[in-house]
Amino acid sequence: MKTFKDVLIDRRSVRRYERKGIEPEKLAFICDAIRNTPTSYNGQQFSVVVVTDPETKLELYDIIGQKQVKTCAAFFFFCVDFHQLELAAKAKGVEFPDYQNSLNGYTVGVVDATLAMHQAIAAAESLGLGTCCIGYARTADPAKTSEILGLPSKVAIVCGLAVGYPAETPDIKPKRPAEIVVFENRYGDDEVILSKLMAYDAEVSEYNRSRAGDQTANDWAAHILDYHEIERKKAIEKYLKKQEIELKIR
Ligand SMILES: Cc1cc2nc3c(=O)[nH]c(=O)nc-3n(C[C@H](O)[C@H](O)[C@H](O)COP(=O)(O)O)c2cc1C
């Protein structure tokens, strides 16, 4: 088993994997970690589909377009899930409150699913496996992906996670300094934040110019803002509606 430092501090996304499956007992360990996710009211408003079948991974890769989907040993889909509570409501004759249609309810599901994904990341990394979150699992035709996965109504994809034995050890990416990530008692001053951000921006530019593997000329801020400009145009509302999650602004 790896140490907490390995799992939390020395973690990096791994995008190349050995052609090797994950042992059943290791997969079971990851699933146990997922099951024990802390969730809102212990409502467990999430579910996970793990795809290990090579043909299905290939089919999903054709939609999602990230090579990790086909090259990893196991690809996990973390989903908001209000379907199971709806089933229970019907069985018990309790009125279903359509919590998933409120921004608060949907957020609860997203938080639960995201924490479940982090349980999986920590468990997998502790076993010496490599992981990479895949947001395109939600944004690149999630309706088609959901059909392949057989997701029922009120279940919707939040994020994907590729897991496999690492075939690379990328340099750890620099992150914002602690002083502007975690504030003590009160949010910080803009002037201090900006000077730290600009220093961080320069650090990322240097990292991108000199890192092992593929180098780029990207900075941090302009690169991320560019990414936001592209991503904000991707609408998932239609997909959520198809899954019977209709967000209502009240
Ligand atoms: C929600 C989420 C979605 C992500 N989606 C992708 C993705 O689709 N493809 C990819 O290669 N990396 C993806 N990543 C990985 C990020 O690029 C990576 O975490 C970030 O660059 C920081 O690098 P590190 O994980 O090595 O620290 C995603 C990460 C998160 C948390």
Side-chain angles (χ1 to χ4, degrees):
M1 274 259 176
K2 300 264 182 173
T3 64
F4 275 116
K5 182 174 175 296
D6 294 329
V7 169
L8 299 177
I9 312 296
D10 296 340
R11 183 210 57 80
R12 71 269 276 167
S13 293
V14 166
R15 295 180 174 82
R16 288 175 210 275
Y17 312 98
E18 303 284 357
R19 285 176 184 267
K20 184 179 161 190
I22 301 171
E23 297 81 345
E25 64 277 13
K26 292 191 177 176
L27 262 184
F29 179 78
I30 296 169
C31 290
D32 274 345
I34 289 171
R35 283 181 57 234
N36 197 28
T37 299
T39 60
S40 189
Y41 296 102
N42 197 32
Q44 301 162 71
Q45 292 87 185
F46 77 95
S47 286
V48 180
V49 179
V50 52
V51 179
T52 52
D53 174 54
E55 273 180 28
T56 310
K57 280 195 291 152
L58 211 54
E59 203 181 345
L60 291 164
Y61 162 70
D62 283 342
I63 299 168
I64 298 168
Q66 297 278 287
K67 66 179 188 308
Q68 299 95 308
V69 179
K70 64 174 172 181
T71 57
C72 71
F75 194 80
F76 292 74
F77 288 89
F78 292 84
C79 306
V80 163
D81 186 345
F82 287 87
H83 175 70
Q84 296 194 8
L85 277 163
E86 189 181 33
L87 286 180
K90 277 184 187 147
K92 292 198 161 233
V94 176
E95 196 182 334
F96 187 67
D98 280 329
Y99 189 33
Q100 76 288 344
N101 292 345
S102 70
L103 192 53
N104 189 31
Y106 178 64
T107 304
V108 157
V110 171
V111 171
D112 288 358
T114 308
L115 286 175
M117 183 166 73
H118 194 261
Q119 291 276 110
I121 293 171
E125 298 272 342
S126 79
L127 298 169
L129 294 159
T131 63
C132 186
C133 303
I134 303 291
Y136 286 97
R138 177 190 62 257
T139 54
D141 207 341
K144 206 163 162 194
T145 302
S146 297
E147 256 173 57
I148 293 170
L149 301 177
L151 300 187
S153 62
K154 300 183 180 61
V155 176
I157 299 164
V158 173
C159 199
L161 181 72
V163 181
Y165 280 96
E168 63 171 6
T169 311
D171 293 340
I172 293 176
K173 278 191 191 164
K175 302 293 181 333
R176 287 175 301 150
E179 305 93 291
I180 61 166
V181 175
V182 182
F183 299 109
E184 196 171 345
N185 298 320
R186 196 177 157 79
Y187 198 85
D189 176 71
D190 270 2
E191 222 174 289
V192 177
I193 293 172
L194 187 59
S195 82
K196 301 261 179 212
L197 273 185
M198 291 303 96
Y200 173 65
D201 193 80
E203 188 188 349
V204 172
S205 302
E206 181 49 35
Y207 166 87
N208 286 335
R209 260 194 297 276
S210 60
R211 69 184 178 188
D214 302 337
Q215 285 114 29
T216 71
N218 293 335
D219 66 348
W220 176 71
H223 179 63
I224 300 299
L225 292 167
D226 193 36
Y227 172 73
H228 285 188
E229 179 58 28
I230 296 164
E231 288 295 302
R232 79 188 176 95
K233 290 170 189 149
K234 291 184 182 167
I236 61 163
E237 294 84 344
K238 239 191 194 163
Y239 162 63
L240 292 179
K241 194 171 175 188
K242 188 163 182 285
Q243 296 304 109
E244 293 183 24
I245 297 175
E246 292 192 50
L247 294 185
K248 294 188 180 83
I249 306 297
R250 287 171 295 188

